[in-house]
Amino acid sequence: AQTVTQSQPEMSVQEAETVTLSCTYDTSESDYYLFWYKQPPSRQMILVIRQEAYKQQNATENRFSVNFQKAAKSFSLKISDSQLGDAAMYFCAYRTQNSGNTPLVFGKGTRLSVIA
Amino acid sequence: GAVVSQHPSWVICKSGTSVKIECRSLDFQATTMFWYRQFPKQSLMLMATSNEGSKATYEQGVEKDKFLINHASLTLSTLTVTSAHPEDSSFYICSARFRDYNQPQHFGDGTRLSIL
């Protein structure tokens, strides 16, 4: 079974600075998706960024980018120019590509605080 | 974009009653729906996966007689917590996806269930 590990329960960053959240995963599959979700205090799950394993190029979405290292099974999220609204729980997630009805596997999350 | 509507957002009821939570996909056919449970400051825990017209597949440790899941149509899934007790108090989130494995998984806004 696949597992996702987030080793940083909590992180903090100064406003306008850059922060990197770590994520590693374990799988024997070669085709899969990786995601970062943000969950603010409202508890809504918001997709931040998605990476297909077959793509070597790291995904980027405005201030959010990932460092995808497939051989190392590492998928870190970098938030640049941090804003107060970035404060939230961040979950790393994995999903196999082989079937349409397989669920996301989540890590335990990292709580990010942004200091003004 | 695709939207998943979850209702109610918050419910408080007495111990022993049954509570039904609805999850609707508003602009796409949700061939697969997932139900998650989330305790405070923890990650999402998958409870069950349901495919339209089929019985739900429950994760180990989840009582299927306690948590009844119905996915009778491509736009509606329901989770009924039967004879609810205080230990069932939690945050429940549904998520839906169209059959194509390349499609994203869309989340409802969650239901906060409090059993007195």
Side-chain angles (χ1 to χ4, degrees):
Chain A
Q2 296 81 20
T3 58
V4 177
T5 302
Q6 293 178 252
S7 59
Q8 306 154 315
E10 296 183 354
M11 293 281 285
S12 62
V13 61
Q14 290 283 138
E15 196 175 7
E17 295 296 311
T18 296
V19 65
T20 299
L21 307 184
S22 300
C23 173
T24 58
Y25 58 95
D26 187 26
T27 184
S28 59
E29 299 175 331
S30 58
D31 298 321
Y32 49 88
Y33 300 100
L34 295 165
F35 306 84
W36 278 98
Y37 281 88
K38 170 185 178 181
Q39 189 180 43
S42 67
R43 304 189 82 167
Q44 181 184 17
M45 293 294 286
I46 301 168
L47 178 64
V48 175
I49 202 165
R50 156 181 158 152
Q51 175 82 42
E52 288 90 344
Y54 67 87
K55 290 186 177 179
Q56 292 186 339
Q57 187 173 9
N58 290 323
T60 62
E61 286 289 341
N62 300 314
R63 297 184 295 107
F64 299 88
S65 62
V66 297
N67 183 2
F68 173 47
Q69 301 290 327
K70 190 172 184 178
K73 297 180 182 175
S74 172
F75 183 61
S76 61
L77 174 69
K78 185 172 80 172
I79 306 174
S80 304
D81 186 25
S82 296
Q83 301 175 359
L84 294 177
D86 294 333
M89 279 291 289
Y90 286 82
F91 293 102
C92 179
Y94 170 103
R95 200 186 92 207
T96 182
Q97 191 175 316
N98 296 330
S99 172
N101 64 353
T102 52
L104 291 166
V105 178
F106 288 95
K108 291 188 174 181
T110 296
R111 181 172 301 279
L112 178 66
S113 301
V114 181
I115 303 166
Chain B
V3 176
V4 172
S5 175
Q6 186 172 343
H7 178 81
S9 58
W10 197 350
V11 59
I12 302 173
C13 60
K14 294 181 179 179
S15 183
T17 59
S18 293
V19 179
K20 180 182 285 188
I21 301 170
E22 291 188 350
C23 182
R24 294 181 183 273
S25 57
L26 298 184
D27 58 358
F28 71 102
Q29 293 182 329
T31 49
T32 303
M33 285 197 174
F34 308 94
W35 288 93
Y36 294 87
R37 182 174 182 176
Q38 187 180 31
F39 291 105
K41 298 185 178 181
Q42 293 189 22
S43 188
L44 281 71
M45 179 189 76
L46 180 68
M47 299 176 66
T49 301
S50 71
N51 294 304
E52 184 264 339
S54 302
K55 289 184 177 180
T57 301
Y58 290 82
E59 295 299 301
Q60 189 173 9
V62 178
E63 300 176 59
K64 60 182 180 181
D65 295 330
K66 159 70 79 173
F67 301 99
L68 300 179
I69 292 172
N70 183 280
H71 190 175
S73 78
L74 285 171
T75 59
L76 174 64
S77 177
T78 59
L79 166 66
T80 302
V81 184
T82 61
S83 186
H85 292 284
E87 59 266 28
D88 299 323
S89 298
S90 190
F91 190 69
Y92 294 88
I93 307 175
C94 72
S95 182
R97 189 163 76 228
F98 182 62
R99 65 169 61 89
D100 185 342
Y101 63 77
N102 196 39
Q103 294 298 312
Q105 189 167 324
H106 303 284
F107 286 87
D109 287 344
T111 297
R112 187 184 306 275
L113 175 62
S114 297
I115 309 297
L116 304 178

